[in-house]
Amino acid sequence: MIFPSLSGAKVFRNTRGKRPDKRLLISFLSLILTGLVVLYAASYYNSAIKGSSFSDIISQLFGIGIGLVIMLFMWKLDISILSKPVMSGSLLLVSFVLLTLVAIPGIGVYINGSRRWLRLGPVSFQPSELAKYSLVLFMARVLSSPKRDITDFLKGLLPLFVIPGAMFLLILMQPNLSTAGSIIITSAVMTMIAGARWLHLILIGVSGLAVGAYYALSEPYRRARMISFIDPFQYFSNEGYQLAQSLMAFGSGGLFGMGLGRGKQKLSFLPYPESDFIFAIVGEDMGFFGCLFVISLFMTFLFLGLRIAIREKDRFRSLLCAGIVSTIGIQTILNIAVVIGVMPTTGLPLPFFSAGGTSVSIVMGAVGIILNISSEQTAL
């Protein structure tokens, strides 16, 4: 028996008469479908150079197919199983092992100056995507414990950040400051929701900013990236090139855009138009109002997800739902902030939109948990 503490436990719940929140489901489907349309518009040119204009779409659909299976599994799963220490502990252990393997030269896949991927045959994936949600599960379980007094800074709150801090450092080694930072932010948001004192969170936040600032300024290329985002056109020939091209994409799009697929930046001008900077393609092809439309889709999804978390009476389920929604929301905000030049350029995908089969599969599994929780509420 792999998990002896789960022996005899009910794995799946009775879903008869229990349907997920229809509005959340429609919001999720709208994001997935819109993301596929935008992804094709952003990727067809570079994909055609590789051999097929549909290659990125096919890969994304494969990831969505796997994600659908995971989502259905999570929807039928008895959520109480996830509250068991063995579940969160096992997922954390797997995440730490995978993150450690990424850091080992020769095992972690090195691409464009970063070692963030592991490869299994023809498939490569980012362990940090799994790590984000395993941490959310861990935080939800610990914060829901009646024995945990998070108003006590030294004994209750500070020890909670040991695991997020260790995960932060491992991801920082890749290097991936944006993902590492989003993990700390999500942890802070979850502790805030759980009732931590603002002063304590501010102290942790200031410490985190100090570590991030030191890291960002400790290497010449990181300092150059920090400076370049302030005026990317001054550094157009090197560090500022990608952001400058992104801003030109938004400028070209104007209010209504150049038309879906008709933008020029994807024609080998803007690096990674199908992944980290896909929102720039939204701006160029669909214009200002297209950007507002996409943002409204995310805002609707996040609002509905947080409403489910607020309505949930069970503390663990409420925190788990809020943590998943916060993770998706923080990643969305950071990605858009980078693309429009509010933050230094970092590699962070836009959920549901950016190419990446592993990313979309895992986030769909997380959405399955939210739908599971919502279906219990609608059945009442």
Side-chain angles (χ1 to χ4, degrees):
M1 187 76 65
I2 298 176
F3 301 130
S5 62
L6 295 181
S7 58
K10 183 181 178 182
V11 177
F12 297 107
R13 64 193 176 93
N14 183 8
T15 57
R16 181 177 298 178
K18 299 177 181 180
R19 292 184 173 87
D21 188 301
K22 291 182 179 179
R23 283 166 289 192
L24 182 73
L25 185 58
I26 292 172
S27 174
F28 160 72
L29 291 174
S30 299
L31 282 168
I32 284 288
L33 293 175
T34 305
L36 282 172
V37 172
V38 173
L39 177 59
Y40 177 71
S43 66
Y44 75 87
Y45 179 79
N46 288 332
S47 295
I49 295 175
K50 300 173 186 176
S52 171
S53 59
F54 292 96
S55 61
D56 279 331
I57 287 293
I58 292 172
S59 177
Q60 192 80 344
L61 286 172
F62 180 75
I64 289 173
I66 295 175
L68 182 60
V69 174
I70 300 173
M71 187 168 68
L72 290 173
F73 178 86
M74 290 299 179
W75 178 62
K76 283 186 166 290
L77 186 71
D78 186 346
I79 293 293
S80 62
I81 289 179
L82 297 179
S83 65
K84 306 294 184 183
V86 68
M87 292 301 297
S88 61
S90 299
L91 280 174
L92 269 182
L93 178 61
V94 169
S95 297
F96 274 108
V97 169
L98 293 177
L99 289 173
T100 302
L101 289 175
V102 168
I104 300 175
I107 297 179
V109 179
Y110 191 82
I111 302 175
N112 297 321
S114 300
R115 188 180 288 110
R116 303 177 184 176
W117 295 266
L118 288 176
R119 189 180 298 280
L120 292 175
V123 179
S124 60
F125 67 98
Q126 284 186 265
S128 59
E129 293 296 322
L130 174 63
K132 287 186 292 188
Y133 294 101
S134 67
L135 183 65
V136 167
L137 178 60
F138 167 78
M139 294 293 290
R141 182 186 67 78
V142 175
L143 289 170
S144 61
S145 172
K147 298 179 181 179
R148 174 73 59 173
D149 181 13
I150 57 173
T151 60
D152 187 325
F153 181 74
L154 292 178
K155 296 181 180 180
L157 183 62
L158 196 58
L160 267 178
F161 282 85
V162 172
I163 297 296
M167 193 171 285
F168 173 88
L169 293 175
L170 277 174
I171 296 175
L172 205 61
M173 291 170 60
Q174 296 180 0
N176 192 348
L177 179 59
S178 53
T179 299
S182 69
I183 281 176
I184 297 297
I185 295 171
T186 299
S187 301
V189 169
M190 292 184 70
T191 54
M192 179 188 70
I193 294 172
R197 294 179 178 177
W198 280 93
L199 178 59
H200 296 166
L201 291 175
I202 289 172
L203 288 174
I204 293 175
V206 170
S207 301
L209 286 174
V211 172
Y214 171 79
Y215 174 81
L217 300 174
S218 61
E219 294 289 342
Y221 80 93
R222 296 191 194 118
R223 288 197 296 271
R225 181 172 290 184
M226 286 289 292
I227 296 172
S228 67
F229 104 94
I230 299 173
D231 186 4
F233 292 96
Q234 183 178 349
Y235 301 88
F236 186 79
S237 61
N238 42 59
E239 291 292 339
Y241 177 81
Q242 189 173 23
L243 179 56
Q245 294 290 353
S246 176
L247 295 178
M248 284 192 280
F250 285 107
S252 301
L255 290 177
F256 302 102
M258 300 178 67
L260 199 61
R262 296 183 177 180
K264 306 300 182 185
Q265 286 299 321
K266 65 178 70 68
L267 307 180
S268 299
F269 293 104
L270 175 65
Y272 309 114
E274 75 286 348
S275 55
D276 301 344
F277 275 71
I278 196 169
F279 192 69
I281 303 303
V282 175
E284 186 176 30
D285 287 5
M286 301 168 64
F288 175 74
F289 289 109
C291 291
L292 288 182
F293 171 72
V294 170
I295 291 173
S296 69
L297 289 180
F298 277 105
M299 290 181 65
T300 301
F301 176 83
L302 297 174
F303 169 78
L304 293 172
L306 287 176
R307 188 177 66 168
I308 292 168
I310 292 171
R311 288 181 173 180
E312 179 56 48
K313 296 180 180 179
D314 181 82
R315 185 172 174 83
F316 168 74
R317 297 184 184 201
S318 177
L319 286 169
L320 180 59
C321 183
I324 292 170
V325 173
S326 298
T327 298
I328 296 172
I330 290 166
Q331 186 169 331
T332 301
I333 292 169
L334 291 178
N335 176 274
I336 294 176
V338 165
V339 174
I340 64 176
V342 177
M343 287 180 56
T345 302
T346 56
L348 195 65
L350 183 63
F352 307 112
F353 279 70
S354 294
T358 305
S359 175
V360 74
S361 296
I362 293 176
V363 77
M364 285 179 69
V367 171
I369 294 176
I370 303 176
L371 293 173
N372 185 321
I373 295 172
S374 73
S375 66
E376 292 289 343
Q377 295 176 358
T378 55
L380 296 177

